């Protein structure tokens, strides 16, 4: 099946067991399936579920997104919903995009969670919607160029979201629209927009590198830049009551 637009909500490493959640609804729907879906096979396909973390998770995700990319036109797009606070998983996501022949062209951070007393602390309040398209150009960059480009992109992303916080508070909202965890995750997405736009970094073919097994614990250039994006995001998370200049000196 070919499609102009694919919308996916992939597993977040070990965070969500979608096959188990699906079986809960299947148990009810199988008894009285909607007429529109009478021909569906009511099975979670548990054996095909992409699970885990690390090399197998990365390779299975590359295979899945490559299959989707192969069934969409050159001007097609994919919407990938992703919510995770682990820098290693976001580094894996960069490899998944490269290995699948895709690049992240936009990232929208949407507040999707309701606040409650049960969600106090470092919980994220939303989901990143990554817009991915086929990588049709053959762009190259060097690390020093990327670092500056990532810094500008992350700073712009954080300043935009902090501005939304201020706007909503000005309209009577007591809590922030986005918490620090959300801003950090948006920083990951901003870095992904920059990184996946290039096929080669420091002369290395990133698509080919993504397909090679990665030794456990290895810190490559992608992980280093992702970590740098987090640092930039943290520098822009100025606590209330502290002057930006003082916070900058504390962060350095």
């Amino acid at each position: 099946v070919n499609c102009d637009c694919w919308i996916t909500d992939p597993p977040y490493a070990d965070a969500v067991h979608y096959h188990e959640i699906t079986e809960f609804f299947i148990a009810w729907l199988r008894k009285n399936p909607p007429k529109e879906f009478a021909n569906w096979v009511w099975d979670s396909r548990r054996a095909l579920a992409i699970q885990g973390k690390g090399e197998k998770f990365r390779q299975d995700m590359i295979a899945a997104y490559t299959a989707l990319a192969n069934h969409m036109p050159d001007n097609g797009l994919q919407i990938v919903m992703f919510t995770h606070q682990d820098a290693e998983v976001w580094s894996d996501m960069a490899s998944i995009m490269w290995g699948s022949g895709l690049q992240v062209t936009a990232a929208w951070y949407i507040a999707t969670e309701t606040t409650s007393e049960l969600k106090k602390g470092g919980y994220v309040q939303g989901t990143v919607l990554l817009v991915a398209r086929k990588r049709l150009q053959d762009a190259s960059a060097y690390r020093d160029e990327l670092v500056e480009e990532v810094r500008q992109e992350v700073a712009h992303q954080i300043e935009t979201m902090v501005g939304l916080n201020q706007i909503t508070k000005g309209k009577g909202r007591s809590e922030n629209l986005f918490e620090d965890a959300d801003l950090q995750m948006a920083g990951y997405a901003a870095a992904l927009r920059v990184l996946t736009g290039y096929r080669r970094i420091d002369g290395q073919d990133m698509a080919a590198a993504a397909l090679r097994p990665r030794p456990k614990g290895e810190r490559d250039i992608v992980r280093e830049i992702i970590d740098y994006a987090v640092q930039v995001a943290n520098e822009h998370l100025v606590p209330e009551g502290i002057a930006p200049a003082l916070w900058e000196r504390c962060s350095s």
Side-chain angles (χ1 to χ4, degrees), residues 2-120:
N2 292 320
C3 190
D4 293 332
C5 178
W6 295 102
I7 302 175
T8 56
D9 189 355
Y12 316 135
D14 284 326
V16 181
H17 292 183
Y18 282 115
H19 53 286
E20 295 180 2
I21 297 173
T22 303
E23 287 169 0
F24 174 82
F25 296 100
I26 286 175
W28 291 92
L29 291 170
R30 184 185 288 148
K31 294 180 180 179
N32 187 23
K35 293 180 180 179
E36 296 83 357
F37 308 114
N39 295 326
W40 279 32
V41 177
W42 295 102
D43 190 318
S44 68
R45 297 291 197 263
R46 177 185 282 258
L48 300 178
I50 297 177
Q51 301 179 64
K53 183 179 179 181
E55 189 60 29
K56 188 177 187 307
F57 167 78
R58 197 168 63 89
Q59 293 297 337
D60 287 349
M61 289 281 280
I62 288 174
Y65 280 102
T66 298
L68 293 178
N70 289 339
H71 288 82
M72 74 181 199
D74 287 349
N75 63 346
L77 58 86
Q78 296 190 34
I79 308 297
V80 183
M81 305 179 193
F82 208 70
T83 305
H84 210 285
Q85 293 177 262
D86 189 338
E88 182 179 352
V89 176
W90 278 91
S91 178
D92 285 342
M93 179 54 78
S95 294
I96 290 163
M97 292 291 105
W98 271 313
S100 307
L102 299 170
Q103 71 175 97
V104 176
T105 58
W108 301 88
Y109 199 93
I110 308 297
T112 57
E113 303 299 320
T114 56
T115 57
S116 73
E117 290 300 319
L118 298 176
K119 293 185 178 180
K120 297 297 183 181

Side-chain angles (χ1 to χ4, degrees), residues 148-164:
E148 177 58 24
E149 193 173 349
V150 165
R151 187 192 67 77
Q152 294 179 5
E153 193 74 14
V154 172
H156 175 70
Q157 181 75 62
I158 300 301
E159 289 167 2
T160 299
M161 294 174 69
V162 169
L164 290 173

Side-chain angles (χ1 to χ4, degrees), residues 177-220:
L177 188 62
F178 303 110
E179 299 298 337
D180 288 358
D182 301 286
L183 298 173
Q184 287 182 339
M185 196 160 65
Y188 293 144
L192 222 59
R193 285 201 300 269
V194 175
L195 289 170
T196 59
Y198 297 98
R199 182 179 179 85
R200 293 180 177 80
I201 297 177
D202 282 352
Q204 182 181 19
D205 188 320
M206 301 306 294
L211 299 175
R212 291 196 297 267
R214 181 190 300 168
K216 187 175 182 179
E218 179 184 71
R219 286 179 55 83
D220 57 9

Side-chain angles (χ1 to χ4, degrees), residues 121-174:
Y123 293 95
V124 295
Q125 302 296 324
T127 297
V128 178
L129 303 185
L130 302 173
V131 180
R133 299 179 182 273
K134 287 186 178 181
R135 187 184 305 101
L136 302 177
Q137 75 278 13
D138 190 13
S140 302
Y142 290 97
R143 183 188 306 229
D144 56 347
E145 298 171 332
L146 279 175
V147 166
E148 177 58 24
E149 193 173 349
V150 165
R151 187 192 67 77
Q152 294 179 5
E153 193 74 14
V154 172
H156 175 70
Q157 181 75 62
I158 300 301
E159 289 167 2
T160 299
M161 294 174 69
V162 169
L164 290 173
N165 275 346
Q166 294 170 346
I167 290 172
T168 55
K169 279 195 171 183
K171 294 185 177 180
R173 184 184 177 103
S174 59

